[in-house]
């Protein structure tokens, strides 16, 4: 029997989580029978355009997903669910975000990606527990200055909006570590120039023989492939074209091309021409299969921090090599005016003998149009993400963690953004430690 039928038959008493994706046009009132137990409610993939005014009856509700529905306004009634920590309304038709919907003192994670929002209320700054705010794919030109009160904010996505400039106060938020801002007017020229660059090698689609699928993300699908002209094994990424939580695939392609070659970076080698469906794509080096992903992405519970396998462990020497390799890749990107935007362990491949490789440019963006001081501040903002990575690498060392690495972690994560080191210094310190 399906979940809705089970619910209406009263067979889900005591349930903590309900997932309903069955073409709903109205909120099933039977859900209120679970008010004393329900913590996670997933109503994504329906045809809902409203929620009941008495939603606050769900007094234990911590997580609410309503993505891929027909909402044109963020429902005010969610502001009556005082236990809510995570709210997701991705890919709706939302234009208005009323202040009453944001009276959520425990809210840590808000997803409003891919809507039609052109302004946000000052009440957003009252969400003092906010750690993760995802606003890519809207019509925003500004952010409420009250966000300066959100001192816990660590991840912010404002890609694919209409910002003519970055809000200057963003650069002083003490914990902001992962910021995506591509696909806005202020960096459009840099993106277009990267895409159009004649120096980028081109590969004709007919010269590629696609093999097995290696992976799939929000922005595209990656296949193993062979270049027929040279029989060289490569990886091919074909972009889907739709806006993602990080922004436009077009922006990802631009940053991948602009990144150029580096030994510890999984970047584009060439772009694809002549796809029969006009799909855009990139050819990348095929990574040795002995490399594996360092960690899994954040969970509902961890919010902004990656999730490592229970048995994750390595020596301090391996931790140092991974840190050095990622610092080297990041120094290269920053020198080319590129911010990664998503410096996380789940975007790193590692090998005990070979160190680390940094990939995934989905949240990357270019700083060429920004003033030098602003670009430097953004680089120091990204140093905090590196500090988080160092903290995680150190936590899984099987022997005594390197003191120099622990000291660097503290400097990277300090609240004073301007006092953080840059990657040039971080790389030098790590190389010195490895040479001893």
């Amino acid at each position: 029997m399906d979940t809705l039928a089970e619910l209406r038959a009263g067979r889900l008493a005591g349930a903590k989580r309900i997932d309903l994706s069955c073409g709903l046009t109205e909120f099933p009132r039977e859900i209120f029978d679970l008010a004393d137990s329900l913590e996670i409610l997933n109503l994504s993939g329906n045809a809902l355009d409203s929620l009941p005014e008495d939603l606050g009856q769900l007094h234990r509700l911590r997580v609410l997903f309503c993505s891929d529905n027909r909402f044109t306004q963020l429902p005010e009634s969610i502001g009556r669910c005082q236990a809510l920590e995570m709210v997701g309304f991705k890919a709706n038709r939302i234009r208005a975000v009323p202040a009453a919907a944001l009276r959520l003192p425990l809210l840590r994670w808000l997803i409003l990606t891919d809507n039609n929002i052109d302004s946000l209320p000052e009440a957003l700054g009252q969400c003092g527990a906010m750690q993760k705010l995802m606003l890519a794919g809207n019509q925003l030109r500004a952010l409420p200055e009250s966000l300066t009160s959100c001192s816990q904010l660590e991840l912010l996505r404002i890609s694919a909006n209409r910002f003519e400039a970055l809000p200057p106060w963003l650069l002083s938020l003490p914990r902001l570590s992962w910021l995506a801002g591509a696909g806005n007017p202020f960096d459009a020229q840099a993106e277009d120039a990267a895409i159009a660059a004649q120096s980028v090698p081109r590969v004709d689609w007919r010269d590629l023989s696609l093999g097995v699928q290696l992976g799939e993300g929000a922005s595209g699908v990656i296949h193993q492939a062979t270049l027929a002209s040279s029989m060289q094994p490569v990886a091919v990424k074909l972009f889907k074209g739709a806006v993602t939580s990080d922004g436009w695939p077009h922006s990802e392609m631009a940053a991948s091309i602009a990144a150029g070659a580096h030994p510890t970076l999984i970047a584009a080698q060439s772009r694809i021409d002549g796809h029969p469906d006009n799909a855009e794509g990139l050819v990348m080096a095929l990574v040795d299969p002995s490399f594996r992903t360092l960690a899994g992405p954040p969970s509902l519970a961890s919010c902004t921090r990656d999730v490592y396998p229970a048995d994750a462990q390595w020596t301090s020497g391996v931790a140092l090599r991974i840190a050095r390799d990622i610092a080297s890749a990041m120094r290269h990107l920053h020198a080319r005016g590129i911010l990664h935007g998503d410096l996380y362990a789940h975007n790193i491949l590692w090998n005990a003998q070979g160190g680390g490789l940094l990939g995934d440019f989905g949240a990357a963006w270019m700083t060429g149009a920004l003033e030098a001081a602003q670009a430097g501040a953004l680089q120091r903002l990204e140093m905090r993400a590196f500090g988080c990575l160092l903290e995680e690498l150190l936590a899984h060392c099987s022997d005594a963690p390197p003191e120099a690495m622990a000291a660097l972690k503290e400097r990277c994560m300090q609240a004073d953004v301007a006092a953080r080191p840059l990657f040039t210094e971080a790389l030098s310190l790590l190389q010195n430690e490895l040479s001893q």
Side-chain angles (χ1 to χ4, degrees):
M1 189 178 293
D2 63 43
T3 304
L4 183 59
E6 291 268 322
L7 176 68
R8 287 176 169 162
R11 296 193 181 98
L12 299 180
K16 291 186 176 182
R17 175 170 183 149
I18 295 289
D19 296 88
L20 288 171
S21 180
C22 49
L24 293 172
T25 57
E26 292 185 1
F27 183 91
R29 298 287 303 178
E30 293 86 352
I31 289 175
F32 289 122
D33 296 337
L34 309 176
D36 291 333
S37 64
L38 190 63
E39 297 181 7
I40 302 174
L41 177 58
N42 182 9
L43 298 175
S44 298
N46 288 293
L48 296 169
D49 59 12
S50 65
L51 294 177
E53 289 298 311
D54 55 348
L55 194 68
Q57 288 187 52
L58 301 176
H59 60 97
R60 298 178 64 89
L61 192 65
R62 295 186 300 106
V63 178
L64 175 64
F65 293 123
C66 289
S67 297
D68 297 292
N69 275 283
R70 298 179 181 175
F71 292 91
T72 57
Q73 175 176 295
L74 192 65
E76 292 190 7
S77 58
I78 68 173
R80 302 185 185 105
C81 299
Q82 292 294 284
L84 274 175
E85 297 178 21
M86 181 177 183
V87 172
F89 279 76
K90 180 182 178 181
N92 278 272
R93 306 167 184 177
I94 296 173
R95 293 184 178 277
V97 179
L102 298 174
R103 292 175 182 148
L104 296 168
L106 303 182
L107 186 65
R108 301 168 64 202
W109 190 342
L110 177 61
I111 304 170
L112 296 174
T113 308
D114 192 13
N115 281 288
N116 297 302
I117 302 164
D118 60 12
S119 65
L120 292 164
E122 290 293 330
L124 186 61
Q126 297 173 17
C127 300
M130 184 83 74
Q131 293 176 252
K132 205 165 185 174
L133 179 56
M134 308 183 77
L135 302 170
N138 281 287
Q139 308 295 320
L140 294 167
R141 299 175 185 271
L143 292 172
E145 197 163 343
S146 62
L147 272 176
T148 54
S149 300
C150 294
S151 59
Q152 302 301 307
L153 187 64
E154 293 180 275
L155 184 146
L156 176 62
R157 299 293 189 240
I158 54 172
S159 310
N161 275 281
R162 296 186 176 180
F163 288 89
E164 298 284 349
L166 280 178
W169 48 263
L170 268 185
L171 307 179
S172 60
L173 288 177
R175 295 175 65 86
L176 189 58
S177 313
W178 301 279
L179 175 63
N184 281 290
F186 70 80
D187 74 339
Q189 188 173 353
E191 286 188 17
D192 291 344
I195 293 289
Q198 296 301 310
S199 59
V200 179
R202 308 274 178 141
V203 170
D204 191 283
W205 174 253
R206 291 168 295 184
D207 193 33
L208 289 165
S209 177
L210 253 59
V212 297
Q213 182 174 319
L214 298 175
E216 181 173 6
S219 64
V221 182
I222 301 175
H223 289 266
Q224 185 171 332
T226 303
L227 280 170
S229 56
S230 63
M231 298 308 294
Q232 177 189 355
V234 293
V236 166
K237 181 164 187 175
L238 294 175
F239 293 95
K240 297 176 181 177
V243 70
T244 72
S245 295
D246 292 329
W248 293 113
H250 175 90
S251 301
E252 176 181 349
M253 189 164 80
S256 298
I257 291 170
H262 186 273
T264 62
L265 200 61
I266 309 170
Q269 294 181 337
S270 52
R271 59 174 300 182
I272 297 169
D273 283 341
H275 190 280
D277 298 324
N278 294 317
E280 294 184 312
L282 295 172
V283 176
M284 301 173 290
L286 187 63
V287 177
D288 189 303
S290 65
F291 280 82
R292 57 191 186 275
T293 307
L294 189 57
S299 65
L300 298 185
S302 69
C303 190
T304 58
R305 300 301 289 268
D306 275 341
V307 179
Y308 286 74
D311 60 350
Q313 195 175 70
W314 36 73
T315 65
S316 57
V318 170
L320 273 168
R321 285 198 296 275
I322 294 172
R324 174 204 60 193
D325 289 349
I326 302 309
S328 180
M330 290 300 299
R331 183 186 66 168
H332 171 83
L333 291 178
H334 284 185
R336 295 178 76 97
I338 299 169
L339 297 169
H340 189 273
D342 208 18
L343 177 52
Y344 263 117
H346 67 261
N347 290 325
I348 293 170
L349 299 178
W350 76 288
N351 175 300
Q353 287 72 45
L357 298 172
L358 178 63
D360 197 336
F361 286 77
W365 51 301
M366 289 176 276
T367 62
L370 304 178
E371 295 179 0
Q374 196 172 40
L378 286 165
Q379 290 173 4
R380 286 185 163 86
L381 180 154
E382 203 151 52
M383 290 305 300
R384 189 178 186 279
F386 186 63
C388 292
L389 174 65
L390 293 179
E391 184 175 67
E392 293 160 5
L393 288 171
L394 290 164
H396 294 279
C397 282
S398 57
D399 54 350
E403 291 184 10
M405 191 168 161
L408 177 59
K409 181 264 294 185
E410 293 295 331
R411 292 180 61 199
C412 290
M413 296 184 73
Q414 60 187 305
D416 182 358
V417 179
R420 294 172 190 160
L422 292 172
F423 274 108
T424 297
E425 182 184 354
L427 177 59
S428 178
L429 288 168
L430 293 165
Q431 286 175 328
N432 288 340
E433 186 72 7
L434 272 167
S435 65
Q436 294 178 8

